[in-house]
Amino acid sequence: MTITEPTITRTATTKKPVLEIRDLSVDYGYDDDAVHALKNVNLTLGAGEILGLAGESGCGKSTLAYAATRLLPPPGVITGGEVLFTSSRDGHGGDLLRMSDRELRAQRWRDTAIVFQGSMNSLNPVYKIGKQLMDGIRAHEKMPAHAMRARAADLLSMVGISKDRLDSYPHQLSGGMRQRVMIAMALALEPEVVIMDEPTTALDVVMQRQIVEQIMDLKRDLGFSVIFITHDVSLLLELADRIAIMYAGNIVEDAASSEVYHQPRHPYTAGLLHSFPPLHGPRRELGGIPGSPPDLMALPSGCNFHPRCPFAFDACPKIDPALGPTLYGDAEPHRSVACLLHDPAVGPGRLPDELAARPAG
Ligand code: SF4
């Protein structure tokens, strides 16, 4: 079996990088029993960008978020890579994976913050909201108690919650309010990077819409960059500047959202887009993707997507494609794709109509 080198050849962002994930690999377990949950993942977040990370359940999205912030619980093990933070404000930074515990404590919340999946599990049920907000601030800044309470009240108002709620327990708030508290907490020290892991999944669509709009407003006001993780590609098409698609622990496509929407270049991305109704234009029949995501303990050989891919050809079960340029090369300088159809050395030299160029619209 031939394995191509998993080295990225370009970055899809046009902005100055604030967070660069390089060749990040994560296993669950050790030695022969290890499950390779992430394999040499490369991703760059530009300053001020919203980068959407999408894929089916179990593809490694949350593992990526936890590993990149050094919050991965055992038996998860980071087996290689770098996560480089570079402040766009004053240039300070470093590799999060190699920082001492002290450096990491100082870095968290101030430079990078995370909003976890399922706020009700993240807030401590026996402490009032105000105390939990103030504990986070106190860990980083010294200020009188009354000033800290005022700061916590400001944070609540920023996410549309009355300051009276400082004295409420988590169970006295609705799911949407608890999620807003988590967002307020993440923004307490005005970090430059916020990772949001399925922040709206447990909420109804109306609340989901309100929270997404609020995140957009806060981003405009505070200027942070976001990695937004979800299985809902349609949400990302509205929200994100760029979208990276994950499959079986790898990024398989990385491009501007409008490019992904108008012309996916990877068969898996095309399948995801055919799995929900179009945002605009006439109704069409939904396609879906046959089969299920692979078992990470028994991955298919070569391209992991080949048993489900409608365009698989003879090289696909033999060669593991690396993330690289599209078949259109320099004409698409800010797109990356991991598919052998785009490799002139082994592919047919042209794309199927469904993946080929067509005017945006
Ligand atoms: Fe499909 Fe082959 Fe491309 Fe994999 S490499 S996505 S199997 S065409």
Side-chain angles (χ1 to χ4, degrees), residues 93-109:
D95 182 356
L96 269 63
L97 301 189
R98 283 163 188 82
M99 284 180 182
S100 66
D101 288 350
R102 194 161 164 227
E103 289 169 327
L104 198 60
R105 253 198 312 278
Q107 204 271 352
R108 281 183 181 148
W109 280 46

Side-chain angles (χ1 to χ4, degrees), residues 256-275:
S257 335
S258 58
E259 292 177 325
V260 169
Y261 179 62
H262 291 299
Q263 187 51 74
R265 296 284 188 223
H266 193 284
Y268 179 60
T269 314
L272 286 179
L273 291 172
H274 278 108
S275 303

Side-chain angles (χ1 to χ4, degrees), residues 173-189:
L173 305 185
S174 68
M177 288 168 94
R178 287 197 293 264
Q179 196 60 6
R180 289 188 162 134
V181 170
M182 292 308 296
I183 293 170
M185 220 177 247
L187 299 179
L189 298 174

Side-chain angles (χ1 to χ4, degrees), residues 186-213:
L187 299 179
L189 298 174
E190 301 189 5
E192 291 192 49
V193 173
V194 183
I195 297 176
M196 299 195 171
D197 183 15
E198 307 253 15
T200 57
T201 300
L203 306 171
D204 62 64
V205 284
V206 176
M207 186 52 66
Q208 190 177 74
R209 163 69 51 187
Q210 285 177 9
I211 290 197
V212 164
E213 282 172 2

Side-chain angles (χ1 to χ4, degrees), residues 18 52 75 116 125-126 129 164 250 289 310-311 316 341:
V18 64
F116 294 100
V126 300
I129 297 300
D164 306 344
N250 281 316
I289 304 171
F311 307 116
C316 299
L341 290 168

